[in-house]
Every structure is written in C-alpha cells, then in structure tokens.
Amino acid sequence: LYGVVCAVRLLDEHKIPLLRSLVKDVEGEKIIIREIERIMDDRGRIKDSASDNLSAIRKSLAKLSGEVDRAIRKILNQARQSGWVNPNDDVTIRNGRLVIPVPATHKRKIRGFIQDESSSGHTVFIEPAESLEANNEIRELENAEKREINKILAAFTDFLRPSANSIIESYEFLGLIDFIRSKAKLALKLEAGLPIIHTFQVIEWWDARHPLLFLAHQKQKKDVIPLEIKLKNDDRILIISGPNAGGKSVCLKTVGLLQYMLQCGL
C-alpha cells in the first residue's frame, strides 16, 4: 500500500498518460496504512505498543532475561577463578537457553543441566541450576509473546478482510509497475532504442546487437560489432555466408532475439 501511494503520486506528478491510466482505479487506503503503522515498524516487526498485553510481556521478558544473564555471568566468573572453564570462553546459547561452555573434565563442578556438547565431546554446555527456573519462565513468556502476536495479526486480518479485493488490485498494480520499470532499466542497460513499427512486413535495423553478447562484452569492456539487416516483401531472403567463427550464428540469433524482445514489449 505504501508503494501504491508513492507510485500514484509519482505518476500524477509526471503526467504520463498511459501509465496514469493504470492507476485510475487504484487507491492506497489511508486507514489501512495507519493501522499498519500502529502495529508494525519499518521492518515489518510487531511493535511493543501494538497491544497492552504484548507490551507487558516484552517488559517482563527483558527484565527476566537481564536477571538470568547477570546470574549466569556471575557463575561464569566464579568458574573462571576456579579454573573450571577456559578464560576466553563466554556465555552462549544452546536450545534457546543461556549456557556456559565447560571442559568435559570439569562438567561435575557446576550444578546444572547439560543442554548440548561439542562434536568432539571435549566441551559440554551447561545451564546452571540457579537459572533453570528463570529460563523456564523466559520460555513461557516467549510462547506468550508468540500467542499475542498471532492474536494481533488475526485481528488485523479481520480488519483487512473487507478491503481484500482492493488490496489484491493494488498488489497486481505494483507487480505491473515493477515489470514496466524492469523493462525500462533493461533498456537503459542495453542502450536500446525505441523501435518504429509498421503494419506491413519489414525488418530494417541499424546498429543491431545481440543483447546477451552486448552485456557480456560490456563487463569485459569490449565492443560488439553491430549489424545492419534489411528484409522486405520484395527482398524476403538474405543469404549469410562467411568463414567459421565469422558471426553467422550470432547474426541469426540477434534477429531472433530482437524480434522476440519486440513482441514481448521490450
């Protein structure tokens, strides 16, 4: 919807008749945009303020996570002083839990639950007993956060449902605008020109280049020798001759690709 509003404004300002005709039935509903802004940030994440319950859950989660982190670091410092853990090791996460990496030879020195071990078996990751209950509470709060987010999104979906058709139209409109823009960017990259189309059968090209060969040579900073092709009702057959690697196949492929690009609206 943001994209729709921006596209509509841009097309109105430039007054492009054909493109403007695409937007005559498309609208970005401001009430929907306001509701999106209320519950989501710029990255699509649900805001703390989306509901009072979510705000309370996240505050409790932040507070409890801080307490657990401090408790585990205290135990880690004590273990370092006792020589039970390597001096450079730090608190890490295993199975969603804060744990201390401990050499297997000292795993009995720290009371707690072994959450994981290294592939070699030389290191075990222990969740201290002092933080076990708090970590369980954190897991419960995280589950409560997910449930509340689902509840918010379900309510938002109900809010959107009456506008479903216009949203689908907006989505299709943005896809079409993106497609048109992509064609324009490709045209600039190929240094392409606007073809003149006739109602009778004729090919009369100057500086025609194989598009893929042109892009490949462009990266290598090499030039492509352009072709001049002319076919019409009276001269409908063109014989291409020359030595091996003289460009005969490239010439045929250039004609086929450019004609196909024209038919695709490029």
Side-chain angles (χ1 to χ4, degrees):
L1 290 170
Y2 280 118
V4 170
V5 171
C6 293
V8 170
R9 287 175 182 165
L10 181 67
L11 295 179
D12 280 347
E13 288 172 4
H14 287 72
K15 302 193 182 302
I16 304 170
L18 292 177
L19 289 179
R20 284 189 65 197
S21 67
L22 297 175
V23 307
K24 64 180 186 302
D25 297 322
V26 178
E27 294 181 2
E29 297 186 32
K30 293 181 180 179
I31 188 172
I32 296 177
I33 293 174
R34 282 198 296 270
E35 186 64 11
I36 293 172
E37 290 175 337
R38 186 185 71 81
I39 66 173
M40 294 181 186
D41 63 18
D42 293 341
R43 296 186 178 183
R45 296 177 298 195
I46 304 300
K47 293 179 178 178
D48 295 355
S49 57
S51 76
D52 293 339
N53 193 26
L54 183 62
S55 178
I57 289 170
R58 285 183 172 172
K59 284 178 182 177
S60 299
L61 195 54
K63 181 181 177 183
L64 197 55
S65 296
E67 291 174 359
V68 170
D69 185 65
R70 286 191 292 273
I72 289 182
R73 290 191 180 281
K74 182 178 178 181
I75 295 168
L76 176 64
N77 289 333
Q78 291 171 352
R80 279 175 178 163
Q81 292 170 8
S82 301
W84 299 339
V85 299
N86 296 321
N88 296 327
D89 285 344
D90 203 352
V91 174
T92 185
I93 296 176
R94 286 293 187 279
N95 300 324
R97 304 275 191 148
L98 287 171
V99 295
I100 297 173
V102 181
T105 52
H106 297 305
K107 65 181 180 182
R108 308 268 180 211
K109 303 288 179 62
I110 298 177
R111 290 189 312 111
F113 180 76
I114 296 177
Q115 285 287 353
D116 199 3
E117 65 176 29
S118 65
S119 56
S120 65
H122 294 157
T123 303
V124 295
F125 298 91
I126 297 177
E127 179 184 7
E130 291 84 345
S131 65
L132 189 61
E133 188 59 37
N135 270 332
N136 286 337
E137 289 184 43
I138 287 174
R139 184 61 61 87
E140 289 176 8
L141 284 170
E142 287 174 344
N143 290 333
E145 180 187 27
K146 290 177 183 177
R147 288 194 298 272
E148 184 62 20
I149 288 174
N150 286 338
K151 184 179 176 182
I152 291 167
L153 292 176
F156 181 56
T157 302
D158 288 338
F159 172 78
L160 289 178
R161 192 166 284 112
S163 305
N165 289 335
S166 65
I167 291 173
I168 291 171
E169 288 174 4
S170 298
Y171 181 74
E172 291 174 348
F173 163 75
L174 285 180
L176 180 58
I177 289 296
D178 188 50
F179 175 54
I180 293 170
R181 179 173 177 269
S182 298
K183 290 198 293 182
K185 289 182 72 176
L186 177 63
L188 291 172
K189 196 171 183 179
L190 291 172
E191 299 177 11
L194 182 66
I196 300 170
I197 303 173
H198 296 285
T199 56
F200 53 89
Q201 291 179 331
V202 63
I203 288 179
E204 193 167 354
W205 296 346
W206 293 273
D207 295 333
R209 294 167 302 190
H210 188 297
L212 299 179
L213 185 65
F214 174 73
L215 292 176
H217 279 215
Q218 194 178 52
K219 290 179 182 178
Q220 300 170 16
K221 296 183 178 179
K222 293 166 60 178
D223 293 328
V224 173
I225 299 174
L227 306 172
E228 291 187 8
I229 304 285
K230 189 172 182 179
L231 291 170
K232 54 185 179 179
N233 279 334
D234 295 336
D235 300 309
R236 295 183 296 111
I237 297 173
L238 179 65
I239 296 175
I240 304 172
S241 64
N244 291 340
K248 298 187 297 296
S249 296
V250 171
C251 178
L252 290 170
K253 289 176 181 178
T254 300
V255 173
L257 275 172
L258 294 186
Q259 179 64 26
Y260 193 57
M261 287 170 67
L262 168 68
Q263 290 175 235
C264 290
L266 296 173

